[in-house]
Amino acid sequence: MTYNRREFIKTGGMVMLGSLTVPSIIEAHAAEPAGKDAGITFAMNHFQVSESDLKKVLAAALEKGGDYADLFFEHTFHNQVGLQDGAVNRAASNIDYGMGIRVLSGDQTGYAYVENVNLKDMLNAARTAARIAENPGKRNIADMTEKHIANNYYKIQTPWDSISAKEKAPYLQTLNDQIFQLDKRVMKVSASLGDTTSHIFFCNSEGVTYYDYRPMVTLGAVCIMQEDGKIENSYAARAFRMGVEFLTDDIVATIAKEAVEKTAILFQAIKPKGGEMPIVMGAGGSGILLHEAIGHAFEADFNRKNISIFSDKWNKKVCNEHINVVDDGTIPFNRGSINIDDEGVEGQKTYIVREGVLTSYLHDRISAKHYGIPSTGSGRRESFRLMPIPRMRATYMEPGNVSEADIIAEVKNGIYAANFTNGQVQIGAGDFTFFVKNGFLIENGKLTQPIKDINIIGNGPKALADITMVGNNYEMDNGTWTCGKDGQSCPVTCGMPSALVSKLTVGGEN
Amino acid sequence: MINKEQKLLAQWAVEFALKNGCQAARANLYNGTNSSFEIRDMKVDRLTQASESGLSIQVFVDGRFGSYSTNRLNKQELETFIKNGIESAKFLAEDKARTLPPAELYYKGNLPDLQLLDPAYASIQPDEKVRLAMNACNEAMGKDKRIISVSASFSDNVNNRYIIDSNGFEGETASSSFGLDAGVSVKGDGDARPESYWYDSSIFFNALIKEGIGTKALERTLRKLGQKKVESGKYQMLVDNLNSSRLVSPLINAIYGAAIQQKNSFLLDKLDQQVLGQNVSITDEPHRIKSPGARYFDNEGIATRQMPVFGNGVLKTYYIDVYNANKLDCQPTVGNPSILVLNPGNKDLDALIESIDKGIFVTGFNGGNSNSSTGDFSYGIEGFLVEKGKLVQPINEMNVTGNLITLWNNLAEAGNDPRKTSSWKIPSLLFDNVDFSGL
């Protein structure tokens, strides 16, 4: 119904998915029992394609003279179970199946996809994508060589298709019951458990072929409390690339406690006075600062087009020499991890800032070729319907050497930012924001009054240069962070030690 | 369109669910095609074209409910899929509030065609689409020495949907959309590369504005040059018609049945009370012919009707779907809004600017959020400082913070300029006494 306009102003952003508006949740389907340890033979059988078919499709994709083509097959099973008003009373599931064909000609891209994976439809789609190129000639299609997954960053023990809603429901029930037990002000709880299993099969005109089995699980709860006629709500969740072994009593207890604490504190919280002031970013979710202030602007598609505020900063000093920032696809079971990216490049750990110098952008195949360097394995896509583009994975700052208390002690009047819901950035202008769900005032070097619901805005290069202290208390935030760019969503995470940014603009009342 | 074979498949899915133990079921079958042609610096950068289809089914079995969707439309696979869904639902707790709507609320047909589909859709050739995007790009290309990059795109889509349920509802919709947009990046102060954009969209290809998109994008970018933040304080706030719906969304989110039932709404228990300023009237007008968002029935088949949402500041309705109506023991309205129309005023944007003594004209929001329980909000903004009726300084890197109830009690004036392209008709809006944070 609505016009799906391309994200025109170059913004990116991330959000903690907490609405839990899921229609419901459900169970395991026809996910084939094989998979998690399988290879391309399994995958070709699964998608009912032969090497000869694939070569025909790749040849059709390059018949107008493209330089490169790839085929991305996906079969995804998503199940969700939900609790509301004290009962596990909703189930939902979705199956998505199809393949996308991409043709590159220089830095130009042709793309088409089909849901019916048969030779005729694939050839038609390939010829549509082929039209991006205009210099016909015979292109060579290399023989398929399987790229085996050397390090599986999400090797699971028990696949999600081995259990049903029956086994999942008690965890939601316990989560609900614990939240109610923890605080008598709790009025409503809704909770949701979602699992996703994707079979990914990829091959390209250079012969690179792989199969990847990608699991994901999220468990979260919205807590609504009432005190003296006032109502507040907050959300806590965890997300990992794990199997059923994710479900433990410990994880349920952790989420329950966090949901209650994050909601309860809001009753004491005020909106601070607004304006420019120093901000202490608490450890963990403060990684949203990196994601918004620099991460998106380091994505190399913006830089090769010269439209990022960091376009001229490669190999230049951008901040304090004690600062190291990493974008990492190799953390075991992390929501942002990726064994092989969506264009056939191994998952990697990439230093984007090392000792204060911008050492690497985040590259996909197109930008790597543009800069004449290897890809950082950052080419990711939401699904077979969309082309890969440079994306973040797990973005974090390495720890420094001061305690958080010493950082707070430095601040006479400022804000301590503890929990976040979402952020956004304008890639070219560099203006970025993040929304602080709760935190504290800092007065004379001490945390005092709780605060809530304020937006903080700054400018990427300035904010990075204004990071003056980095704590020794690094934490990864394993919430349900989802990054949006160009209309595509990707799972990511972020992490941070406590850090002092000497000046940002805080939203508040005057 | 949805062909006979696909309709039969949806009907079969409902019957199959009933035969396998369900007391009720609803199936929703969709298909669509889309294409986009993106130009960067007068070269085709990306082209995409595809079609897709899928089926979702909601099952009501022994007082339990499940919702399942797939794009695998092979009957044999669907049998397994539906059976598994039914089995899964049986593991859930009973939830008596899960029912199909009462049949008397269904849309019964017989109203005139809403005309949301361009019959010429399939006849627009790819070369023409590329030409239009090239033209939009060319309008800005090379027109200013500070330009770094110009991009433009043409995109279109057609979406068809067919719903059938076991309680007698059957409905079908079809809509098309064409869009043309352009974006320009320029060299700004220091390393900054400000960017802005412009676009038009339309249900009908012939009605799409095809000239001036690139020119306007360039103009909107250049006027941003020299942005800086200004002093914190209370200002009048004018929000343009591209962004004003951002301030309406949280009001609507607060009146959904799910928010009310979960008591997670700052408009809880406020029906028929004066909550916004007396000059705020918002009406849902679902039956506007040839208007994006028009529809005769909602996702559950319930007939839509013209209804006041806020009348002179008084909350007149919640948006309550069948599930939440059952839970709240009230009548369903419709599940969500169609075409929201905020009562326009008399002035155009220029006249509104002229009326401001000291204010901030917001031309873009940058992040931020609001608290659904309290109505408190805080958003990043960019725009212009306005003094004595003139734009005197482009601004950025500031926040606007407040409470939605207070804000909407401080509406000074609405403009006369809602965008035709959007389904919500919200004009430019001028508010008094708003907190901005900057220097």
Side-chain angles (χ1 to χ4, degrees):
Chain A
M1 281 288 187
T2 51
Y3 167 40
N4 188 15
R5 187 172 61 81
R6 174 153 80 96
E7 280 293 310
F8 225 93
I9 185 131
K10 294 298 182 301
T11 61
M14 73 196 284
V15 60
M16 177 80 92
L17 291 182
S19 64
L20 287 183
T21 48
V22 233
S24 284
I25 303 289
I26 179 203
E27 243 359 272
H29 295 282
E32 292 169 36
K36 66 189 168 71
D37 299 313
I40 65 165
T41 309
F42 162 79
M44 287 165 67
N45 187 41
H46 184 94
F47 290 101
Q48 297 178 304
V49 288
S50 65
E51 178 164 1
S52 119
D53 287 350
L54 297 170
K55 288 178 107 171
K56 280 179 199 159
V57 177
L58 286 167
L62 295 181
E63 70 186 15
K64 298 279 186 195
D67 310 320
Y68 166 92
D70 59 31
L71 314 181
F72 182 89
F73 294 77
E74 175 184 1
H75 194 180
T76 291
F77 300 84
H78 175 69
N79 302 300
Q80 225 169 340
V81 187
L83 171 146
Q84 198 175 302
D85 296 325
V88 181
N89 53 14
R90 47 193 61 198
S93 72
N94 181 57
I95 293 178
D96 204 16
Y97 184 97
M99 62 88 65
I101 299 169
R102 177 174 68 147
V103 178
L104 297 183
S105 175
D107 57 4
Q108 300 169 274
T109 306
Y111 199 80
Y113 62 87
V114 296
E115 294 176 309
N116 292 314
V117 178
N118 59 60
L119 185 59
K120 178 169 163 269
D121 286 0
M122 285 194 287
L123 286 172
N124 281 339
R127 291 186 176 117
T128 299
R131 296 200 313 244
I132 194 70
E134 288 170 340
N135 48 339
K138 181 88 176 140
R139 293 295 191 278
N140 186 41
I141 308 294
D143 287 338
M144 285 169 45
T145 305
E146 178 162 9
K147 185 173 269 210
H148 291 283
I149 298 200
N151 297 300
N152 189 343
Y153 304 118
Y154 28 85
K155 191 169 173 58
I156 65 166
Q157 293 168 28
T158 312
W160 288 102
D161 55 17
S162 66
I163 66 166
S164 73
K166 188 181 175 186
E167 288 83 23
K168 295 174 187 175
Y171 290 94
L172 289 174
Q173 196 69 56
T174 307
L175 179 55
N176 174 77
D177 297 349
Q178 289 191 358
I179 291 174
F180 273 101
Q181 281 157 17
L182 280 167
D183 198 308
K184 60 180 185 304
R185 293 170 293 181
V186 175
M187 188 168 54
K188 293 271 188 184
V189 171
S190 54
S192 169
L193 170 64
D195 62 81
T196 307
T197 302
S198 291
H199 300 276
I200 303 296
F201 171 57
F202 172 94
C203 63
N204 68 18
S205 52
E206 296 171 356
V208 175
T209 310
Y210 74 83
Y211 165 77
D212 195 18
Y213 176 98
R214 296 180 184 166
M216 184 72 80
V217 55
T218 66
L219 175 63
V222 174
C223 172
I224 298 166
M225 286 190 192
Q226 186 170 26
E227 178 184 295
D228 299 335
K230 287 184 183 156
I231 296 174
E232 289 285 1
N233 75 88
S234 197
Y235 174 70
R238 291 293 183 275
F240 290 95
R241 289 200 183 275
M242 289 179 78
V244 177
E245 62 277 6
F246 164 81
L247 291 172
T248 62
D249 295 343
D250 280 355
I251 200 96
V252 169
T254 302
I255 293 170
K257 184 163 174 282
E258 188 177 306
V260 169
E261 286 174 356
K262 283 168 74 173
T263 313
I265 198 163
L266 300 175
F267 291 111
Q268 309 159 36
I270 58 157
K271 270 186 275 190
K273 192 169 179 307
E276 288 185 339
M277 61 191 81
I279 309 292
V280 175
M281 306 294 296
S286 287
I288 192 169
L289 170 82
L290 304 174
H291 184 101
E292 307 300 358
I294 64 172
H296 277 293
F298 280 26
E299 289 164 345
D301 45 349
F302 301 121
N303 288 291
R304 76 176 164 84
K305 296 172 188 173
N306 195 26
I307 57 174
S308 163
I309 194 162
F310 285 101
S311 292
D312 298 328
K313 297 294 181 192
W314 187 25
N315 288 330
K316 295 199 174 138
K317 187 163 188 297
V318 288
C319 59
N320 185 297
E321 63 200 16
H322 299 300
I323 292 176
N324 296 301
V325 183
V326 177
D327 186 79
D328 196 343
T330 70
I331 302 170
F333 310 112
N334 190 280
R335 177 172 165 81
S337 286
I338 185 121
N339 287 330
I340 299 189
D341 79 358
D342 296 334
E343 42 182 16
V345 179
E346 286 87 354
Q348 294 167 39
K349 175 178 177 177
T350 308
Y351 276 87
I352 55 178
V353 173
R354 196 161 215 162
E355 296 175 352
V357 173
L358 195 171
T359 42
S360 179
Y361 295 131
L362 295 172
H363 290 284
D364 65 359
R365 197 173 268 278
I366 297 175
S367 70
K369 191 174 168 197
H370 175 92
Y371 286 95
I373 55 172
S375 166
T376 54
S378 306
R380 302 180 65 190
R381 49 180 130 196
E382 178 183 290
S383 78
F384 67 89
R385 293 185 177 81
L386 296 154
M387 61 186 78
I389 48 176
R391 302 302 294 259
M392 282 173 267
R393 297 158 297 196
T395 312
Y396 58 90
M397 182 179 287
E398 292 185 338
N401 51 15
V402 287
S403 72
E404 185 183 70
D406 286 347
I407 297 174
I408 295 168
E410 281 295 305
V411 177
K412 187 156 188 306
N413 282 301
I415 296 284
Y416 178 92
N419 286 300
F420 309 85
T421 56
N422 58 293
Q424 191 171 313
V425 60
Q426 297 179 354
I427 309 298
D431 291 348
F432 72 92
T433 71
F434 52 85
F435 190 81
V436 180
K437 185 62 200 168
N438 69 283
F440 295 89
L441 290 183
I442 305 175
E443 295 170 292
N444 298 315
K446 296 210 161 48
L447 300 187
T448 57
Q449 170 71 44
I451 54 125
K452 64 175 178 175
D453 296 327
I454 50 156
N455 200 50
I456 292 187
I457 191 163
N459 187 272
K462 278 191 259 174
L464 186 61
D466 284 346
I467 298 175
T468 52
M469 294 176 85
V470 179
N472 55 11
N473 57 340
Y474 165 80
E475 277 179 37
M476 172 62 62
D477 185 314
N478 290 304
T480 49
W481 293 109
T482 298
C483 170
K485 171 181 171 184
D486 247 1
Q488 297 198 40
S489 294
C490 263
V492 295
T493 53
C494 60
M496 188 90 179
S498 294
L500 174 62
V501 186
S502 59
K503 195 167 70 177
L504 291 171
T505 298
V506 174
E509 291 176 336
N510 302 292
Chain B
M1 60 176 288
I2 306 286
N3 63 31
K4 192 173 172 200
E5 189 187 342
Q6 289 173 315
K7 283 183 186 171
L8 287 173
L9 184 71
Q11 289 161 12
W12 164 84
V14 169
E15 282 160 20
F16 184 81
L18 296 180
K19 270 187 206 148
N20 283 275
C22 293
Q23 289 73 45
R26 177 195 296 123
N28 199 315
L29 195 140
Y30 69 87
N31 65 35
T33 62
N34 62 76
S35 76
S36 80
F37 298 82
E38 300 175 30
I39 309 296
R40 186 165 65 89
D41 300 338
M42 298 306 290
K43 219 168 70 166
V44 177
D45 192 44
R46 304 201 281 200
L47 66 84
T48 309
Q49 205 167 334
S51 13
E52 55 192 22
S53 57
L55 175 82
S56 68
I57 183 155
Q58 278 115 42
V59 301
F60 301 78
V61 51
D62 304 339
R64 290 153 177 90
F65 173 77
S67 174
Y68 312 105
S69 58
T70 178
N71 67 350
R72 303 284 290 164
L73 300 185
N74 167 296
K75 228 179 209 180
Q76 208 180 335
E77 280 186 47
L78 282 173
E79 284 191 1
T80 311
F81 182 71
I82 295 169
K83 274 188 188 169
N84 283 342
I86 294 168
E87 286 310 306
S88 289
K90 286 180 180 169
F91 291 126
L92 302 173
E94 194 177 1
D95 189 350
K96 287 192 162 39
R98 290 289 181 187
T99 65
L100 288 174
E104 65 269 20
L105 296 181
Y106 285 145
Y107 171 62
K108 306 289 196 308
N110 301 322
L111 289 174
D113 181 11
L114 287 168
Q115 299 180 50
L116 303 177
L117 180 68
D118 188 342
Y121 177 80
S123 68
I124 318 298
Q125 295 304 308
D127 287 352
E128 173 68 357
K129 300 175 188 181
V130 171
R131 189 189 67 75
L132 289 170
M134 283 284 188
N135 179 57
C137 186
N138 192 47
E139 283 179 359
M141 200 72 195
K143 299 295 189 296
D144 189 286
K145 62 181 189 310
R146 291 163 293 190
I147 291 175
I148 297 170
S149 183
V150 180
S151 53
S153 78
F154 179 95
S155 57
D156 57 22
N157 62 71
V158 163
N159 289 298
N160 303 295
R161 195 160 63 109
Y162 172 72
I163 310 180
I164 182 159
D165 75 22
S166 58
N167 203 20
F169 180 73
E170 186 177 8
E172 194 175 353
T173 62
S175 62
S176 54
S177 176
F178 300 88
L180 184 62
D181 52 40
V184 180
S185 291
V186 298
K187 187 84 182 70
D189 297 336
D191 291 316
R193 291 154 167 82
E195 182 186 35
S196 194
Y197 67 98
W198 189 245
Y199 76 97
D200 190 57
S201 69
S202 175
I203 292 169
F204 298 95
F205 179 76
N206 284 340
L208 181 73
I209 295 172
K210 302 176 185 76
E211 298 293 331
I213 303 290
T215 306
K216 180 107 181 187
L218 175 60
E219 178 192 311
R220 283 167 50 84
T221 309
L222 292 177
R223 71 177 186 171
K224 282 180 157 192
L225 287 168
Q227 284 181 327
K228 59 183 189 184
K229 60 180 114 172
V230 297
E231 264 175 61
S232 303
K234 285 191 191 293
Y235 293 81
Q236 277 199 302
M237 172 170 75
L238 175 64
V239 181
D240 72 15
N241 62 2
L242 223 50
N243 293 288
S244 51
S245 60
R246 173 85 185 248
L247 300 173
V248 176
S249 293
L251 297 179
I252 301 303
N253 291 339
I255 60 175
Y256 280 124
I260 299 304
Q261 195 275 331
Q262 286 293 297
K263 301 187 185 296
N264 186 15
S265 165
F266 60 92
L267 292 175
L268 183 66
D269 300 329
K270 293 285 195 279
L271 203 58
D272 295 322
Q273 292 183 32
Q274 183 85 40
V275 287
L276 311 181
Q278 288 192 358
N279 57 352
V280 183
S281 290
I282 299 177
T283 309
D284 196 347
E285 301 184 13
H287 299 176
R288 287 188 171 202
I289 306 283
K290 292 187 178 182
S291 189
R295 57 181 187 162
Y296 284 132
F297 53 88
D298 74 357
N299 298 333
E300 298 182 287
I302 294 181
T304 57
R305 61 195 160 82
Q306 172 150 338
M307 58 182 194
V309 182
F310 295 95
N312 298 321
V314 175
L315 175 61
K316 304 299 265 187
T317 189
Y318 289 126
Y319 281 102
I320 304 191
D321 59 8
V322 171
Y323 178 70
N324 286 294
N326 288 339
K327 282 226 155 181
L328 293 163
D329 197 19
C330 67
Q331 275 289 308
T333 54
V334 290
N336 47 26
S338 309
I339 298 175
L340 291 178
V341 181
L342 189 142
N343 257 24
N346 301 315
K347 289 183 188 151
D348 63 12
L349 183 65
D350 288 342
L352 286 172
I353 292 170
E354 277 167 30
S355 75
I356 296 173
D357 185 51
K358 185 192 173 204
I360 287 179
F361 173 36
V362 173
T363 56
F365 286 105
N366 189 349
N369 210 330
S370 62
N371 180 326
S372 52
S373 301
T374 64
D376 288 339
F377 67 86
S378 187
Y379 303 120
I381 60 110
E382 65 177 331
F384 297 87
L385 178 66
V386 185
E387 285 176 354
K388 300 195 178 356
K390 303 266 186 258
L391 306 187
V392 294
Q393 171 65 48
I395 59 167
N396 70 338
E397 220 188 306
M398 293 182 69
N399 289 306
V400 57
T401 302
N403 182 278
L404 285 154
I405 295 291
T406 314
L407 180 80
W408 281 98
N409 273 286
N410 284 333
L411 179 71
E413 202 168 352
N416 62 2
D417 58 348
R419 292 261 289 166
K420 285 198 182 113
T421 55
S422 57
S423 56
W424 289 12
K425 312 295 181 196
I426 314 294
S428 299
L429 299 171
L430 179 63
F431 299 92
D432 289 331
N433 220 18
V434 180
D435 275 309
F436 285 88
S437 308
L439 290 173

